[in-house]
Every structure is written in C-alpha cells, then in structure tokens.
Amino acid sequence: MTINLIAEALVACLLVATIITCFVLSRRIERLKADEAGMRQMVGALITATDNAERAIGSLKHTLGDCDRTLDERLRTAERYAADLAAQVEAGHAVMDRITQIVAAANRIGRPVAEPAPAAEHSSVSRLDDAAKSAAAIRNRAARRLEENAA
C-alpha cells in the first residue's frame, strides 16, 4: 500500500506541475496575442506612412518637372537676350569702325576734323549722362520684372 500511496503522490505532484506549466504557457500565449495586435497596428501605421511617402515623392517629382520647365524657359529667354545684346554690340562696333574710317579719311585729305564747341561738348556729355541714366532705369525695371516673374 505504501507503493500505491507513493505512486499516487507522485502522480499528484506531476499533475500540479502540469497545471502550473499550463498556466504559465497560457499567460505567455496571451502576451504573444497582445504583441501580435500591437504588431498589426505598427504594420498598419508603417503601410500608411509608406503610402504618404509615395504620394509626397510623386508631388516632388511633379514640382521638380515644373521647376525644370520654368528654368529651361528662363534660360532660353536669357540666351535670346544675350544674342540680341551681342548683335547690338556688334552693330556698335560696326558704327565705331565707320566713324574711325571717316576720321581717317578726313585726316588723309588734310582737312582737320572740326572740334565741337564747348557748349556742344557739354551737351554731348549731358546726352551721354542722360542715356546712361535711362539705361540704368531700364535695367532696374527689367530686374524687377524678372523678380516678379520668379515669384
């Protein structure tokens, strides 16, 4: 009988150990399920953030395309202005060459080139001064227009 009693006590101890182990495992499973729900929320937030980032990248690409087109347009305009300015400078050089030829021809003939009177010299200086002021005003107006267009 003692052996039966020892065997039953041993079985009872094993049953208590099994119950305790099942209780501990049950708690762990509950924690894993709670972690799973948290992970699902985190994955959902990550997917939302990824979608937002993709939309933002698309918007940035569109904006970059607009900026590229605007810059290209302005570069073409600047190139046209540069070409016009170069043509005007070339025309100015041609006029200066003609004036030089006229003065050289007059010197060869022996006729002195008439010097302008002091009043005429003063008026030509004032005309040059007026032209410089006008050119500065035009340049300032063009700069303001470019800044307004840039804004």
Side-chain angles (χ1 to χ4, degrees):
M1 201 74 116
T2 343
I3 294 181
N4 282 339
L5 189 59
I6 293 175
E8 285 181 17
L10 184 63
V11 168
C13 286
L14 289 175
L15 280 174
V16 169
T18 304
I19 290 171
I20 291 172
T21 304
C22 286
F23 181 74
V24 169
L25 286 176
S26 174
R27 292 284 184 145
R28 285 185 182 174
I29 288 172
E30 287 175 10
R31 279 192 304 235
L32 282 174
K33 284 185 180 181
D35 288 346
E36 178 186 6
M39 285 295 259
R40 285 183 192 270
Q41 288 177 348
M42 188 175 7
V43 167
L46 185 60
I47 288 171
T48 303
T50 302
D51 290 341
N52 290 341
E54 286 176 355
R55 281 194 299 273
I57 288 171
S59 296
L60 286 173
K61 284 182 180 179
H62 180 71
T63 302
L64 180 63
D66 288 346
C67 289
D68 189 38
R69 283 188 292 277
T70 302
L71 182 61
D72 189 41
E73 216 172 277
R74 288 184 181 175
L75 282 174
R76 275 190 258 121
T77 302
E79 287 173 353
R80 280 194 307 267
Y81 287 147
D84 290 345
L85 189 59
Q88 290 174 1
V89 167
E90 186 63 35
H93 284 293
V95 168
M96 289 301 294
D97 288 342
R98 287 183 195 151
I99 290 172
T100 304
Q101 289 173 358
I102 291 169
V103 169
N107 286 338
R108 272 187 256 133
I109 293 175
R111 291 191 316 199
V113 177
E115 292 186 20
E121 183 178 313
H122 182 353
S123 67
S124 66
V125 169
S126 67
R127 276 192 247 144
L128 286 175
D129 193 31
D130 290 341
K133 287 178 184 176
S134 297
I138 291 170
R139 182 182 66 230
N140 290 336
R141 197 174 330 137
R144 277 195 311 267
R145 284 184 182 169
L146 283 176
E147 288 175 4
E148 289 171 3
N149 289 338

